[in-house]
Amino acid sequence: MTDQGDPSITRSDPSLTDADEVARALAVDPATGLTTAEVARRLAEHGPNELRSTRTNPLWRRILAQFTDPLIILLLVAVVISVVAWIVEGAHGWPIDAVVIGAIIILNAVLGLVQEARAEQAVAALSVMTRAQSTVLRDGELHTVASAELVPGDILVLGEGDQVGADGRLLRASALRIAEASLTGESEAVEKSAATLTAQVPLGDRLDMVYKGTAVARGTGRAVVTETGMTTEMGAIATMLDETREEPTPLQQEVSRIGRVLGRVVIVIALVVMLALALIEGINSPSDFVTILLLGVSLAVAAVPEGLPAILSVVLALGVQRMAKRNAVVKQLSSVETLGSASVICTDKTGTLTTNQMTIERIVTASGTVDLSGAGYAPIGRAAVDGRPLEPGALRTEAQIVLGAGALANDAQLAEHDGVWEIEGDPTEAAFLVAAHKLAGIVEATAQYGRIGDVPFTSERKMMSTVHRRADGSTVVLSKGAPDVLLERCTRVRVGDDVVPLDGARRAAALADIEALSQAAYRTLGVAYREAPEFGSLDQGGDVADPDESHERDLVYAGAVGIIDPPRPEVPPAIAEAHRAGVRVIMITGDHPATAARIAADLGIVEPGRATALTGTQLDQLDDAAFAQAVRDISVFARVAPEHKLRIVDALQADRLVVAMTGDGVNDAPALKSADIGIAMGITGTEVTKEAANMVLADDDFATIVEAVREGRVIFDNIRKFLRYLLYSNTGEVLTVFFGVVFAGVLGLSDASTDSIVLPLLATQILWINLVTDSAPALAMGVDPEIDDVMARPPRGLHERAIDGRMWAGIVTTGVTLAVITLLTIDVFLAGGVIPGGTDSVDVARTAGFTTLVFAQLAAAFVARSATSSAFHGLFSNRWLVGAFVLGVVLQVLVVSWPPLQVAFGTASLDWQHWVWCAVAATAVIWVDEIRKAFVRASDRRRAASGGGNARGGGTGVRDAGRALADGDGPRHPSSIA
Ligand SMILES: Nc1ncnc2c1ncn2[C@@H]1O[C@H](COP(=O)(O)OP(=O)(O)OP(=O)(O)O)[C@@H](O)[C@H]1O
């Protein structure tokens, strides 16, 4: 055997091989794992642990894809026809139109490619941020590494909620249950064991193996990695999963739908224009035909916003990047849209609304209350009774037991590094360690207790126990947990040095103490114990090895602690902001109802003094109708188990609400999947919840969710802005040509020298506007800052159209204005027509019209930034837009004045009077729209005054619901909760 291991082990069946044998064959010591150097070597040899299911898209294919748009194909065909016509006519000079249009198409393709690459880069960067992680043993230490870096021979350390990163042979398993549905379809989690199998069995029955892509539902274990990447069982079926392909978002679908509709409309318009031209002018030569054809096709290209999907993905991707910088890592582009329309946020309390910095401040036992001073994790503080400091060692026995047992029934660690006290593990547990260290004698007393077993904590059980053997060989069960839950397992209570029965009065007194602690916003935990001779060593009469829930009985209640977990300071303003935005906030916590209600009131989730919390037990008693009503009325749910979250999501969604739901534990995953936006905690969350979520909160902070909702709304607003802008421009161009040709006679747009009508725009000019000058402002609008106060309005319905009636009104108004000023400009400078007196040539007049149109469109970019606010509001707040405006003007000056471009685009030089006219005429777009917006605002004010469409409805609605509930009025209040 070399030190790289025996590769044949991966070919033989590791499930039939002894675990140590497998580890030996893979040349790894299960006690220390591989060395870093060896990992690097194996990674180079085996490649990353990834499923390469997606084919890479070669450049040529991506380039080709830029030309697959039907309109671009149409344009290419037209170019070919014009070249043919040019040849037929004797191939004099250059086929200028064909060359120019060809160049524009290529430029457009390049821009498309660049945008696509940017969007892809952003998405790829995200997938790096959200990639799965695994815990491994390397160099004798535990490390968290990207699962993609696992290699054969790695020792995987598995815990509840972990994703299994690679295939492996179990070395040990403790109550390990693995959910293998993704691999075998089996919905029940499978109980695993390290015992070697004796016969070959199907995948689902290989209990001594774990497989990539499955998840730890419960328990812990260690496994030696046998296969990675495509050679895993998941790799074998990976061709079936094309996981990275993204569904188009609802908005992207709507945009393609709009594109299709516009395409049809404009083809009709183009045909009418072409027919009108052919009839009025007649087709006397191939070049006449080509001119008409190119114009028709250009019109079609101009009207359909074919650049839109590309801009859309760039804007979504940039938005997602911006959100990631603010700690909200969104996994799919579509979630950005959904976030913007969230109408309810269901949030955990601990760590999300609070800082998760737990400090025990109070110990309440049968003999009274002890207060403990000190903050943070530094074990510095003193005990006091009724405000009088206690002498060291004078602490009552019960209080000593509470802290001592709490510190023993504990998986956390407290250590000092460079003068700073740090904790490892659950902060609730660490609080016991800190408190025990503050007082003399407790830590010393716990030293003689050796731990021999445990019954782990789960959110469902809300308690945990450990079994210890003392120096004298006696054994004891120590339990800590939610006091109300713990008391149900207690039959006796510690009073001073005595143990007395826990009769009705004593139980009531204990519960009252807990209630009082909870109402003071303390998180409460009880501590209990029992002598447990059944665990004694065999010669002492013990007969049990592994503890389970049945041993958590007949306990002696020692007392409870009040833990302060301060609210995050940024949360109350975030909740107020959510309410202002019509977003309801619901707290769902495992904590005590009184604690939950008090903190909810402190944070502003419900009105102070009116907070009511419903517990999981109460929820269980409600039928579906009462449950639905309760979820409508109540915003604080306490002592709930993860399955209640799922039921709450379903009830809210049945009311057509868009639900965001947070979670951290493995059992939260179904609720996160079911919610419209599942949000996993980045710090405390398990891999399984992160996998199930649409968004991961890097800082676990509630305020980040509200920030993400705002960002989602801003992004959606920006998408509407450039949709508006592109549709303004396109409508303007189409109407210009349509009116210009169809009403040429009325408008008198004719060339006196040849007696033919003057085309208001040439085909190349249309393409120039559409594919060159339009793109930059549209892109700039995608990163526009918040112009309208997006949090002042209620959430948008998930299926609400991006383009509503009001937007269409704006599109028609602006489109018509653009066409009118363009045609007017041509008319002014041309002899004859409606406005007589012009003296310019056709080329000059048309160039002036073209320039007016371009300037007016650039101005329209500012108009398009808001549905209601003035174009002058925040005029310079987007430097990209200002830059795009300047660029547009410069490009237009070039195309009008630079001789080579004059030839290409059929323009002629303008004098200063022309330029002034164009600039002034262009501003008409702004004035007309300012008038329209004034009407819109006035109508909004009227509607608000008459009580409809109040943007603050959601916020007050939540409060009203709370008030109605507290007042107990009306039929909306389910009687079973009262
Ligand atoms: N490590 C622990 N050991 C024993 N009991 C615990 C432990 N952690 C929490 N508890 C008890 O279980 C209860 C529920 O805890 P759980 O973790 O399910 O929810 P939570 O942390 O209170 O709230 P949230 O659901 O908002 O995160 C707590 O109120 C506490 O009384």
Side-chain angles (χ1 to χ4, degrees):
M1 189 179 75
T2 68
D3 73 338
Q4 343 174 348
D6 174 8
S8 66
I9 192 68
T10 52
R11 269 177 263 128
S12 72
D13 190 343
S15 70
L16 299 177
T17 315
D18 180 65
D20 289 332
E21 187 72 23
V22 177
R24 242 194 321 278
L26 286 160
V28 59
D29 176 358
T32 55
L34 298 172
T35 61
T36 313
E38 181 58 17
V39 169
R41 206 194 55 69
R42 292 190 190 193
L43 195 59
E45 180 185 341
H46 295 270
N49 173 31
E50 285 166 346
L51 302 179
R52 289 180 303 271
S53 57
T54 41
R55 287 148 274 118
T56 49
N57 207 357
L59 185 65
W60 64 266
R61 193 177 296 200
R62 274 185 285 158
I63 294 176
L64 211 63
Q66 299 295 327
F67 298 98
T68 51
D69 185 283
L71 288 168
I72 298 291
I73 294 175
L74 204 64
L75 205 53
L76 285 170
V77 171
V79 168
V80 172
I81 294 177
S82 72
V83 173
V84 172
W86 168 73
I87 295 169
V88 169
E89 288 193 332
H92 303 298
W94 279 92
I96 292 186
D97 282 355
V99 171
V100 171
I101 294 175
I104 289 182
I105 294 175
I106 290 170
L107 183 67
N108 196 45
V110 170
L111 284 179
L113 267 183
V114 171
Q115 287 174 8
E116 213 168 73
R118 271 179 79 181
E120 269 173 22
Q121 261 168 20
V123 174
L126 277 182
S127 66
V128 169
M129 270 187 262
T130 56
R131 66 188 172 173
Q133 297 192 311
S134 296
T135 309
V136 288
L137 186 66
R138 288 178 182 170
D139 298 315
E141 285 175 15
L142 292 184
H143 294 275
T144 304
V145 300
S147 298
E149 288 160 19
L150 292 178
V151 295
D154 256 331
I155 305 295
L156 265 184
V157 180
L158 300 170
E160 184 175 303
D162 283 352
Q163 294 272 357
V164 179
D167 289 3
R169 169 73 165 88
L170 280 170
L171 298 162
R172 69 167 103 125
S174 149
L176 183 66
R177 297 182 77 92
I178 305 248
E180 297 191 328
S182 54
L183 191 62
T184 61
E186 172 60 50
S187 57
E188 280 284 304
V190 187
E191 177 115 34
K192 297 275 178 174
S193 128
T196 313
L197 297 185
T198 50
Q200 207 146 31
V201 288
L203 207 59
D205 297 331
R206 292 189 206 152
L207 302 184
D208 59 349
M209 296 288 294
V210 290
Y211 295 106
K212 181 178 173 71
T214 61
V216 181
R218 198 168 262 202
T220 56
R222 281 193 182 191
V224 52
V225 172
T226 51
E227 299 286 356
T228 59
M230 290 305 283
T231 56
T232 58
E233 295 294 338
M234 200 51 110
I237 56 167
T239 38
M240 291 171 1
L241 3 123
D242 217 348
E243 30 181 19
T244 51
R245 195 149 310 282
E246 268 218 22
E247 285 280 300
T249 73
L251 195 63
Q252 282 172 327
Q253 286 169 16
E254 189 182 344
V255 163
S256 357
R257 198 178 48 80
I258 294 170
R260 279 196 303 276
V261 173
L262 280 180
R264 284 193 208 116
V265 172
V266 93
I267 282 172
V268 174
I269 293 184
L271 285 177
V272 171
V273 168
M274 285 155 72
L275 210 68
L277 272 178
L279 287 179
I280 301 169
E281 298 291 308
I283 297 177
N284 304 318
S285 66
S287 67
D288 281 358
F289 171 72
V290 166
T291 306
I292 293 176
L293 179 73
L294 283 183
L295 185 76
V297 173
S298 307
L299 207 53
V301 173
V304 179
E306 67 281 311
L308 208 59
I311 298 185
L312 196 60
S313 18
V314 172
V315 168
L316 281 173
L318 289 179
V320 161
Q321 267 182 337
R322 237 180 5 251
M323 284 169 126
K325 278 205 195 96
R326 297 186 170 198
N327 293 324
V329 182
V330 174
K331 297 199 327 200
Q332 301 97 9
L333 294 186
S334 56
S335 306
V336 177
E337 284 172 47
T338 325
L339 263 171
S341 49
S343 44
V344 189
I345 305 174
C346 299
T347 171
D348 286 340
K349 173 179 70 69
T350 310
T352 313
L353 297 174
T354 63
T355 56
N356 212 5
Q357 285 222 338
M358 310 269 182
T359 314
I360 294 181
E361 284 197 342
R362 202 161 273 187
I363 309 160
V364 184
T365 67
S367 309
T369 301
V370 179
D371 292 314
L372 212 54
S373 65
Y377 296 128
I380 304 162
R382 295 195 65 176
V385 172
D386 296 331
R388 284 193 310 279
L390 281 182
E391 287 306 312
L395 193 63
R396 289 191 193 104
T397 337
E398 298 108 300
Q400 289 191 18
I401 296 176
V402 168
L403 294 188
L408 282 166
N410 206 306
D411 292 314
Q413 283 166 15
L414 177 69
E416 191 186 1
H417 291 292
D418 303 327
V420 181
W421 287 87
E422 285 169 3
I423 63 151
E424 184 77 43
D426 183 349
T428 304
E429 307 213 319
F432 276 94
L433 298 182
V434 175
H437 275 84
K438 283 179 183 171
L439 304 176
I442 297 181
V443 178
E444 294 75 3
T446 59
Q448 58 149 331
Y449 285 72
R451 181 156 155 181
I452 57 174
D454 59 57
V455 193
F457 173 82
T458 68
S459 295
E460 287 86 358
R461 286 168 21 81
K462 300 191 173 28
M463 62 179 290
M464 67 173 285
S465 300
T466 49
V467 182
H468 299 262
R469 179 172 294 133
R470 299 191 187 92
D472 66 1
S474 60
T475 44
V476 60
V477 171
L478 305 177
S479 303
K480 77 176 193 316
D484 37 331
V485 176
L486 197 66
L487 272 169
E488 285 166 19
R489 295 176 179 267
C490 295
T491 53
R492 294 165 292 163
V493 56
R494 180 91 183 201
V495 184
D497 289 334
D498 299 324
V499 172
V500 302
L502 186 65
D503 57 20
R506 291 205 177 270
R507 188 179 292 272
L511 283 171
D513 286 343
I514 295 159
E515 182 74 22
L517 277 181
S518 300
Q519 274 174 359
Y522 282 117
R523 178 176 172 83
T524 52
L525 251 88
V527 176
Y529 68 96
R530 172 174 73 85
E531 295 300 325
E534 69 265 33
F535 293 103
S537 53
L538 288 178
D539 51 322
Q540 285 179 313
D543 53 11
V544 180
D546 285 327
D548 58 38
E549 281 184 56
S550 69
H551 297 103
E552 296 171 317
R553 63 177 146 80
D554 200 20
L555 300 175
V556 180
Y557 182 70
V561 294
I563 303 181
I564 180 100
D565 176 17
R568 290 175 180 265
E570 62 278 22
V571 166
I575 287 175
E577 182 75 344
H579 284 169
R580 190 169 77 88
V583 180
R584 199 179 148 196
V585 180
I586 296 181
M587 176 199 278
I588 305 181
T589 173
D591 220 332
H592 191 282
T595 315
R598 167 66 194 271
I599 293 186
D602 287 353
L603 294 174
I605 291 178
V606 286
E607 288 206 344
R610 298 179 186 275
T612 317
L614 213 54
T615 64
T617 321
Q618 287 171 313
L619 284 177
D620 286 337
Q621 286 158 6
L622 302 180
D623 63 20
D624 283 347
F627 189 95
Q629 192 58 41
V631 169
R632 258 171 234 143
D633 292 340
I634 298 200
S635 296
V636 186
F637 297 91
R639 284 281 187 259
V640 291
E643 75 257 18
H644 293 116
K645 286 190 170 179
L646 189 58
R647 212 170 152 207
I648 292 172
V649 170
D650 289 345
L652 290 167
Q653 284 177 333
D655 279 348
R656 301 183 65 82
L657 294 170
V658 179
V659 185
M661 167 71 84
T662 69
D664 46 15
V666 52
N667 297 326
D668 289 337
L672 295 201
K673 277 219 170 98
S674 187
D676 299 281
I677 310 144
I679 304 172
M681 297 299 137
I683 303 171
T684 55
T686 55
E687 285 294 312
V688 171
T689 25
K690 288 185 201 167
E691 170 74 22
N694 308 101
M695 178 167 111
V696 179
L697 283 189
D699 57 2
D700 288 13
D701 188 347
F702 175 83
T704 304
I705 305 176
V706 178
E707 219 17 75
V709 169
R710 169 198 292 277
E711 197 62 57
R713 290 186 176 195
V714 170
I715 292 171
F716 193 82
D717 249 27
N718 287 352
I719 289 171
R720 285 185 126 179
K721 289 177 195 176
F722 68 69
L723 255 175
R724 222 182 260 137
Y725 169 65
L726 287 179
L727 291 174
Y728 283 178
S729 311
N730 294 352
T731 314
E733 289 155 41
V734 172
L735 291 182
T736 302
V737 176
F738 183 73
F739 290 153
V741 170
V742 174
F743 301 116
V746 188
L747 295 171
L749 290 183
S750 61
D751 183 346
S753 61
T754 59
D755 198 28
S756 59
I757 65 172
V758 174
L759 282 181
L761 289 170
L762 299 178
T764 46
Q765 292 172 351
I766 294 177
L767 292 176
W768 165 266
I769 301 177
N770 203 55
L771 302 182
V772 181
T773 53
D774 264 8
S775 309
L779 267 177
M781 239 172 281
V783 293
D784 212 33
E786 190 178 338
I787 292 287
D788 296 333
D789 181 359
V790 293
M791 297 300 257
R793 49 174 110 116
R796 174 180 57 89
L798 198 51
H799 298 288
E800 205 174 286
R801 289 275 157 86
I803 307 186
D804 52 16
R806 188 175 275 184
M807 195 153 145
W808 281 119
I811 292 167
V812 172
T813 316
T814 309
V816 170
T817 313
L818 286 169
V820 168
I821 54 178
T822 306
L823 293 175
L824 206 68
T825 304
I826 300 175
D827 193 30
V828 163
F829 291 115
L830 214 56
V834 185
I835 308 169
T839 53
D840 288 315
S841 71
V842 170
D843 281 347
V844 171
R846 190 192 289 126
T847 303
F850 171 43
T851 304
T852 301
L853 182 59
V854 168
F855 285 178
Q857 287 195 8
L858 290 172
F862 292 90
V863 169
R865 290 170 84 199
S866 167
T868 49
S869 308
S870 158
F872 298 99
H873 178 66
L875 190 61
F876 299 107
S877 59
N878 181 351
R879 57 198 165 90
W880 291 104
L881 189 57
V882 175
F885 180 87
V886 173
L887 179 73
V889 172
V890 170
L891 285 172
Q892 186 62 20
V893 171
L894 274 181
V895 82
V896 169
S897 316
W898 192 38
L901 287 181
Q902 286 181 337
V903 178
F905 290 91
T907 53
S909 296
L910 299 178
D911 61 30
W912 69 267
Q913 286 101 331
H914 291 115
W915 286 109
V916 170
W917 166 274
C918 293
V920 173
T923 61
V925 158
I926 298 177
W927 312 128
V928 171
D929 199 66
E930 288 295 308
I931 295 169
R932 186 186 66 84
K933 280 180 182 161
F935 278 114
V936 168
R937 285 195 296 267
S939 113
D940 276 355
R941 272 197 301 276
R942 266 200 308 280
R943 200 146 24 120
S946 67
N950 185 351
R952 283 161 212 272
T956 46
V958 174
R959 283 160 199 268
D960 288 342
R963 192 172 307 131
L965 180 83
D967 294 340
D969 65 352
R972 281 161 58 84
H973 185 200
S975 55
S976 48
I977 302 168

